[in-house]
Amino acid sequence: MSQTILLGLTGGIGSGKSTVARMLAADGATVVDADAIARGVTAPGGAAIVPIAQTFGADLLTEDGALHRDRMRALVFSDPATKQRLEAIIHPLVAQETDRQARAALAHGARTLVFDVPLLVESGARWRTKVHRVLVVDCQVETQIQRVMARNGLTRPEVEKIIAAQASRTQRLAAADIVLYNDDLTLAELQDELTQLAERFGL
Protein backbone atom coordinates (compact mmCIF):
# COMPACT_ATOMS: atom_id res chain seq x y z
CA MET A 1 0.00 0.00 0.00
CA SER A 2 1.40 3.41 -1.00
CA GLN A 3 2.21 6.01 1.60
CA THR A 4 -0.37 8.70 2.27
CA ILE A 5 0.70 12.05 0.86
CA LEU A 6 0.52 14.80 3.49
CA LEU A 7 0.03 18.16 1.82
CA GLY A 8 0.08 21.56 3.53
CA LEU A 9 -2.15 24.10 1.79
CA THR A 10 -1.93 27.81 2.49
CA GLY A 11 -2.36 31.24 0.96
CA GLY A 12 -3.17 34.77 1.97
CA ILE A 13 -6.70 36.04 2.44
CA GLY A 14 -8.43 36.33 -0.91
CA SER A 15 -5.94 34.08 -2.69
CA GLY A 16 -8.49 31.36 -3.45
CA LYS A 17 -7.04 28.84 -1.01
CA SER A 18 -10.45 27.71 0.24
CA THR A 19 -11.64 27.20 -3.32
CA VAL A 20 -8.59 25.06 -4.05
CA ALA A 21 -9.27 23.05 -0.88
CA ARG A 22 -12.82 22.33 -2.07
CA MET A 23 -11.52 21.27 -5.48
CA LEU A 24 -8.98 18.93 -3.88
CA ALA A 25 -11.73 17.40 -1.75
CA ALA A 26 -13.86 16.90 -4.86
CA ASP A 27 -10.88 15.13 -6.47
CA GLY A 28 -10.72 12.67 -3.58
CA ALA A 29 -8.41 14.27 -1.03
CA THR A 30 -9.31 14.34 2.66
CA VAL A 31 -9.15 17.96 3.84
CA VAL A 32 -8.53 18.97 7.44
CA ASP A 33 -9.62 22.62 7.60
CA ALA A 34 -7.85 24.45 10.44
CA ASP A 35 -9.92 27.59 9.88
CA ALA A 36 -13.18 25.65 10.17
CA ILE A 37 -11.88 24.05 13.36
CA ALA A 38 -11.02 27.50 14.75
CA ARG A 39 -14.53 28.70 13.92
CA GLY A 40 -15.90 25.65 15.71
CA VAL A 41 -14.01 26.24 18.95
CA THR A 42 -15.13 29.89 18.95
CA ALA A 43 -18.78 29.11 18.13
CA PRO A 44 -21.47 29.01 20.85
CA GLY A 45 -20.47 26.26 23.28
CA GLY A 46 -17.04 25.90 21.70
CA ALA A 47 -14.06 24.92 23.80
CA ALA A 48 -12.49 28.39 23.54
CA ILE A 49 -15.51 30.39 24.66
CA VAL A 50 -15.10 30.15 28.43
CA PRO A 51 -11.38 31.00 28.45
CA ILE A 52 -12.00 33.87 25.99
CA ALA A 53 -14.66 35.33 28.29
CA GLN A 54 -12.39 34.88 31.31
CA THR A 55 -9.45 36.51 29.55
CA PHE A 56 -11.09 39.33 27.61
CA GLY A 57 -14.51 39.79 29.21
CA ALA A 58 -18.04 38.82 28.20
CA ASP A 59 -18.37 41.83 25.89
CA LEU A 60 -16.09 39.99 23.44
CA LEU A 61 -18.90 37.44 22.94
CA THR A 62 -22.02 37.81 20.85
CA GLU A 63 -25.51 37.51 22.31
CA ASP A 64 -25.64 33.82 21.37
CA GLY A 65 -22.28 33.13 23.03
CA ALA A 66 -19.87 33.04 20.09
CA LEU A 67 -16.66 35.03 19.72
CA HIS A 68 -17.55 38.54 18.57
CA ARG A 69 -15.19 38.62 15.61
CA ASP A 70 -15.57 42.30 14.74
CA ARG A 71 -14.85 43.45 18.29
CA MET A 72 -11.95 41.04 18.64
CA ARG A 73 -10.49 42.14 15.30
CA ALA A 74 -10.64 45.77 16.41
CA LEU A 75 -9.01 44.89 19.73
CA VAL A 76 -6.24 42.91 18.04
CA PHE A 77 -5.46 45.80 15.69
CA SER A 78 -5.33 48.30 18.56
CA ASP A 79 -3.34 46.06 20.93
CA PRO A 80 -0.89 43.55 19.37
CA ALA A 81 -0.52 41.67 22.68
CA THR A 82 -4.19 40.70 22.37
CA LYS A 83 -3.41 38.55 19.34
CA GLN A 84 -0.85 36.51 21.28
CA ARG A 85 -3.24 36.01 24.19
CA LEU A 86 -6.05 34.92 21.87
CA GLU A 87 -3.77 32.56 19.93
CA ALA A 88 -2.59 31.01 23.20
CA ILE A 89 -6.20 29.98 23.82
CA ILE A 90 -7.24 28.94 20.32
CA HIS A 91 -4.14 27.38 18.75
CA PRO A 92 -3.73 24.43 21.18
CA LEU A 93 -7.42 23.55 20.76
CA VAL A 94 -7.13 23.71 16.97
CA ALA A 95 -3.97 21.58 17.06
CA GLN A 96 -5.71 18.90 19.14
CA GLU A 97 -8.68 18.68 16.79
CA THR A 98 -6.46 18.82 13.69
CA ASP A 99 -4.47 15.86 14.98
CA ARG A 100 -7.66 13.96 15.85
CA GLN A 101 -9.11 14.44 12.35
CA ALA A 102 -5.80 13.49 10.74
CA ARG A 103 -5.55 10.27 12.75
CA ALA A 104 -9.12 9.38 11.80
CA ALA A 105 -8.43 10.02 8.10
CA LEU A 106 -5.27 7.91 8.15
CA ALA A 107 -7.12 5.11 9.95
CA HIS A 108 -9.67 5.15 7.12
CA GLY A 109 -6.93 4.85 4.48
CA ALA A 110 -6.81 8.37 3.08
CA ARG A 111 -4.43 8.52 0.09
CA THR A 112 -3.98 12.28 0.16
CA LEU A 113 -4.43 14.27 3.35
CA VAL A 114 -4.58 18.03 2.91
CA PHE A 115 -4.04 20.34 5.87
CA ASP A 116 -5.75 23.61 4.94
CA VAL A 117 -3.91 26.03 7.24
CA PRO A 118 -4.18 29.82 6.75
CA LEU A 119 -1.31 30.44 9.20
CA LEU A 120 0.94 27.61 8.03
CA VAL A 121 3.88 29.91 7.25
CA GLU A 122 3.33 32.00 10.38
CA SER A 123 3.55 28.88 12.55
CA GLY A 124 7.22 28.42 11.66
CA ALA A 125 8.71 24.93 11.52
CA ARG A 126 5.73 23.18 13.11
CA TRP A 127 3.88 22.42 9.88
CA ARG A 128 6.97 21.89 7.77
CA THR A 129 7.78 18.85 9.90
CA LYS A 130 4.24 17.45 9.56
CA VAL A 131 3.77 17.53 5.78
CA HIS A 132 5.60 16.22 2.75
CA ARG A 133 4.96 19.28 0.58
CA VAL A 134 3.56 22.79 0.94
CA LEU A 135 1.23 24.12 -1.75
CA VAL A 136 0.85 27.90 -1.76
CA VAL A 137 -2.04 29.53 -3.61
CA ASP A 138 -0.62 32.85 -4.74
CA CYS A 139 -1.85 36.05 -6.33
CA GLN A 140 -1.01 39.74 -6.47
CA VAL A 141 -1.74 41.72 -3.29
CA GLU A 142 -4.05 44.02 -5.24
CA THR A 143 -6.03 40.97 -6.35
CA GLN A 144 -6.39 39.94 -2.69
CA ILE A 145 -7.63 43.41 -1.77
CA GLN A 146 -10.22 43.56 -4.53
CA ARG A 147 -11.53 40.05 -3.85
CA VAL A 148 -11.90 40.56 -0.10
CA MET A 149 -13.51 43.99 -0.48
CA ALA A 150 -16.07 42.48 -2.86
CA ARG A 151 -16.62 39.32 -0.79
CA ASN A 152 -16.67 40.69 2.73
CA GLY A 153 -17.78 44.27 2.22
CA LEU A 154 -14.66 45.58 3.98
CA THR A 155 -12.90 48.83 3.15
CA ARG A 156 -9.47 48.91 1.53
CA PRO A 157 -7.74 50.00 4.79
CA GLU A 158 -9.44 47.15 6.67
CA VAL A 159 -8.28 44.57 4.13
CA GLU A 160 -4.79 46.05 4.04
CA LYS A 161 -4.56 45.68 7.84
CA ILE A 162 -5.55 42.01 7.61
CA ILE A 163 -2.98 41.37 4.87
CA ALA A 164 -0.28 43.19 6.87
CA ALA A 165 -0.97 40.93 9.86
CA GLN A 166 -0.36 37.80 7.78
CA ALA A 167 2.87 36.42 6.40
CA SER A 168 4.06 38.37 3.39
CA ARG A 169 3.71 37.07 -0.12
CA THR A 170 7.51 36.69 -0.25
CA GLN A 171 7.52 34.62 2.95
CA ARG A 172 4.79 32.29 1.65
CA LEU A 173 6.53 31.77 -1.68
CA ALA A 174 9.80 31.02 0.11
CA ALA A 175 8.02 28.28 2.09
CA ALA A 176 6.37 26.72 -0.98
CA ASP A 177 7.27 23.46 -2.64
CA ILE A 178 4.53 24.04 -5.20
CA VAL A 179 2.93 27.36 -6.21
CA LEU A 180 -0.49 27.68 -7.83
CA TYR A 181 -0.86 31.16 -9.29
CA ASN A 182 -4.47 32.33 -9.10
CA ASP A 183 -4.54 35.76 -10.69
CA ASP A 184 -7.40 36.45 -13.12
CA LEU A 185 -8.30 32.77 -13.46
CA THR A 186 -11.85 31.55 -13.93
CA LEU A 187 -12.94 28.64 -11.75
CA ALA A 188 -12.60 26.34 -14.76
CA GLU A 189 -9.07 27.59 -15.43
CA LEU A 190 -8.15 27.17 -11.76
CA GLN A 191 -9.47 23.62 -11.85
CA ASP A 192 -7.41 22.92 -14.97
CA GLU A 193 -4.27 24.22 -13.27
CA LEU A 194 -4.98 22.11 -10.20
CA THR A 195 -5.69 19.01 -12.29
CA GLN A 196 -2.24 19.33 -13.86
CA LEU A 197 -0.74 19.32 -10.36
CA ALA A 198 -3.00 16.63 -8.93
CA GLU A 199 -0.88 13.63 -9.93
CA ARG A 200 1.88 15.00 -7.73
CA PHE A 201 -0.55 14.74 -4.80
CA GLY A 202 -1.56 11.16 -5.54
CA LEU A 203 -4.95 12.16 -6.96
Side-chain angles (χ1 to χ4, degrees), residues 3-176:
Q3 181 187 35
T4 301
I5 293 176
L6 306 179
L7 179 69
L9 172 65
T10 196
I13 188 170
S15 64
K17 173 189 64 63
S18 296
T19 300
V20 169
R22 288 192 293 271
M23 289 177 174
L24 287 168
D27 286 340
T30 300
V31 178
V32 176
D33 186 340
D35 208 25
I37 294 170
R39 288 193 298 272
V41 301
T42 56
I49 294 302
V50 170
I52 285 173
Q54 291 173 338
T55 303
F56 300 104
D59 61 334
L60 266 297
L61 303 181
T62 62
E63 289 184 2
D64 63 353
L67 172 66
H68 198 303
R69 296 184 180 280
D70 291 340
R71 289 180 185 170
M72 182 58 77
R73 185 182 298 115
L75 186 59
V76 166
F77 285 147
S78 65
D79 178 15
T82 297
K83 180 181 179 183
Q84 295 177 345
R85 293 162 68 200
L86 181 64
E87 288 176 347
I89 295 170
I90 294 176
H91 284 186
L93 297 171
V94 173
Q96 290 171 16
E97 178 60 15
T98 297
D99 289 344
R100 187 196 68 78
Q101 290 189 20
R103 287 195 302 270
L106 293 172
H108 283 85
R111 286 189 309 151
T112 303
L113 183 54
V114 178
F115 294 94
D116 179 355
V117 185
L119 301 179
L120 186 148
V121 174
E122 290 86 337
S123 67
R126 175 175 178 266
W127 278 105
R128 170 51 70 186
T129 61
K130 285 180 172 287
V131 299
H132 298 132
R133 299 171 189 156
V134 172
L135 168 62
V136 169
V137 184
D138 180 53
C139 65
Q140 298 287 337
V141 173
E142 183 60 27
T143 302
Q144 292 180 261
I145 293 170
Q146 294 300 326
R147 285 173 178 166
V148 179
M149 287 174 62
R151 182 186 70 193
N152 295 43
L154 299 177
T155 65
R156 173 179 283 270
E158 287 172 330
V159 180
E160 288 175 341
K161 280 185 178 180
I162 294 171
I163 291 173
Q166 297 183 335
S168 69
R169 186 182 181 197
T170 300
Q171 289 171 319
R172 279 193 298 271
L173 291 175

